[in-house]
Amino acid sequence: MIDSIGDKMILNTDIEMPGLGLGVYQAKDGPEVESAVRYALEVGYRSIDTASVYGNEIGVGKAIRESGIPREEIFLTTKVWNEDQRQKRTLAAFEESLERLELEYVDLYLVHWPVKGCYKETWKEMEKILASGGAKAIGVSNFLVNHLEDLLADCQVVPAVNQIEFHPYLLQPKLLAFCKNNRIQMEAWSPLMQGNIVSVPLLNELALKYGKTSAQIALRWNLQHGVVTIPKSVTPGRIKENSEIFDFELSDADMLAIDALDQGKRFGPDPANFNF
Ligand code: NAD
């Protein structure tokens, strides 16, 4: 069980990944992302999730380098974008990410989306990046069970992580079970349903019961499912609020009640049918 902000999940390569990280999608490069990352690190976050397509790797890298925290204590994720996969330039895209970050390595490099006809070839390049030490772990994002089965059929390295949309309205129990059975760590994007978490009645009730906020209830539910969570905020009060999820535990009955909210609802694109 994850009981403190420093607690980690063990990935299938024996590398450790913090259970909580800061997501920075839509945080503007420059002062906005820099101050969000700086503040998150100050209040104890040790994991940051960015992507080349977010356009803020420069600011993320700067805030990490200037934090004064030893590099090895911070877990940084970035991702290869779809167009780079299509153009068969995963290795080049990775080098460009490192240049923007001005860092020697990333902790986790992800295939951002399962681009049809490309992702298996991309994965071979990801395996080379892992072997070179440029990334300490490699994984995927937005992979459904069929994508994972296809990849596992002939990969050398099993993905360490699958980062997918995951929240109380989108539980995906089959995907969760598949990942657990194959030692692929699940990681939740949009864990706060892009802000809609505040209007879920059950979560508001549980917030009152536990003396927490509905966002904290949802994030704690992620952790108790063994799912890494990366809520996004650039607002200091919320960054701190989202990290205060280690001093309470949801009962089994309340976990099940939240599970029962599942309605297969997505706030983001469907990995089975995306056009970018
Ligand atoms: P999220 O569910 O984390 O919601 C973020 C929004 O919720 C914020 O913009 C803010 O409006 C609101 N919010 C934040 N803290 C709050 C709080 N305590 N109370 C109330 N509202 C609050 O959504 P997200 O940004 O889509 O996802 C999180 C991270 O996941 C991203 O920043 C990114 O790093 C990653 N992500 C990855 C993918 C992918 O394809 N791999 C896709 C989307 C997001």
Side-chain angles (χ1 to χ4, degrees):
M1 179 47 60
I2 293 268
D3 285 325
S4 88
I5 194 166
D7 283 357
K8 299 182 175 151
M9 313 278 191
I10 314 270
L11 304 184
N12 60 16
T13 43
D14 288 339
I15 290 204
E16 294 181 325
M17 176 174 195
L20 172 74
L22 179 75
V24 296
Y25 177 47
Q26 288 176 332
K28 284 187 213 70
D29 203 16
E32 182 170 271
V33 80
E34 286 165 33
S35 61
V37 172
R38 195 180 312 121
Y39 183 72
L41 293 173
E42 264 169 42
V43 296
Y45 286 72
R46 287 294 178 271
S47 171
I48 310 293
D49 181 85
T50 185
S52 58
V53 76
Y54 300 171
N56 57 20
E57 289 175 313
I58 292 175
V60 168
K62 184 165 186 277
I64 288 177
R65 283 182 282 107
E66 293 176 356
S67 67
I69 298 168
R71 173 68 187 90
E72 62 275 15
E73 289 178 22
I74 299 175
F75 191 100
L76 175 65
T77 301
T78 192
K79 316 182 187 88
V80 57
W81 186 238
N82 300 351
E83 203 44 43
D84 292 313
Q85 289 194 63
R86 288 190 189 98
Q87 291 180 18
K88 304 186 195 317
R89 58 186 309 284
T90 297
L91 289 176
F94 178 70
E95 289 304 325
E96 288 161 10
S97 282
L98 284 186
E99 277 165 30
R100 284 189 290 269
L101 291 161
E102 289 190 54
L103 293 171
E104 301 279 304
Y105 67 90
V106 299
D107 296 275
L108 178 62
Y109 197 46
L110 298 179
V111 179
H112 208 147
W113 286 86
V115 176
K116 219 174 178 175
C118 291
Y119 63 79
K120 283 175 109 165
E121 205 171 315
T122 301
W123 191 251
K124 291 200 171 73
E125 303 302 297
M126 302 289 284
E127 289 174 338
K128 287 182 198 157
I129 291 167
L130 178 71
S132 76
K136 302 283 180 200
I138 52 174
V140 296
S141 179
N142 299 302
F143 275 48
L144 302 174
V145 171
N146 66 300
H147 300 121
L148 289 171
E149 282 174 342
D150 186 35
L151 189 63
L152 292 184
D154 47 20
C155 66
Q156 300 290 316
V157 177
V158 175
V161 169
N162 185 19
Q163 183 185 112
I164 56 153
E165 183 177 349
F166 181 86
H167 46 65
Y169 285 173
L170 187 67
L171 183 58
Q172 303 168 89
K174 283 191 185 138
L175 182 55
L176 195 57
F178 185 92
C179 287
K180 277 196 178 142
N181 292 338
N182 287 281
R183 280 205 69 200
I184 299 170
Q185 174 65 52
M186 280 259 288
E187 181 177 16
W189 63 256
S190 292
L192 302 176
M193 310 193 324
Q194 299 173 7
N196 292 291
I197 210 76
V198 294
S199 45
V200 178
L202 174 70
L203 298 183
N204 292 335
E205 276 169 40
L206 293 176
L208 280 178
K209 175 175 166 183
Y210 287 91
K212 287 283 165 183
T213 64
S214 49
Q216 290 169 329
I217 299 289
L219 297 173
R220 181 74 207 179
W221 173 81
N222 283 190
L223 295 181
Q224 288 186 217
H225 265 303
V227 174
V228 169
T229 193
I230 46 167
K232 182 252 172 176
S233 180
V234 293
T235 309
R238 281 177 168 175
I239 292 175
K240 188 154 190 298
E241 176 187 328
N242 295 341
S243 74
E244 291 170 337
I245 53 174
F246 300 97
D247 55 355
F248 73 110
E249 187 161 355
L250 297 167
S251 69
D252 291 348
D254 290 334
M255 285 294 291
L256 287 172
I258 301 173
D259 289 356
L261 294 174
D262 181 25
Q263 45 187 265
K265 180 175 166 63
R266 293 182 184 279
F267 291 85
D270 185 345
N273 180 24
F274 63 97
N275 61 357
F276 48 88

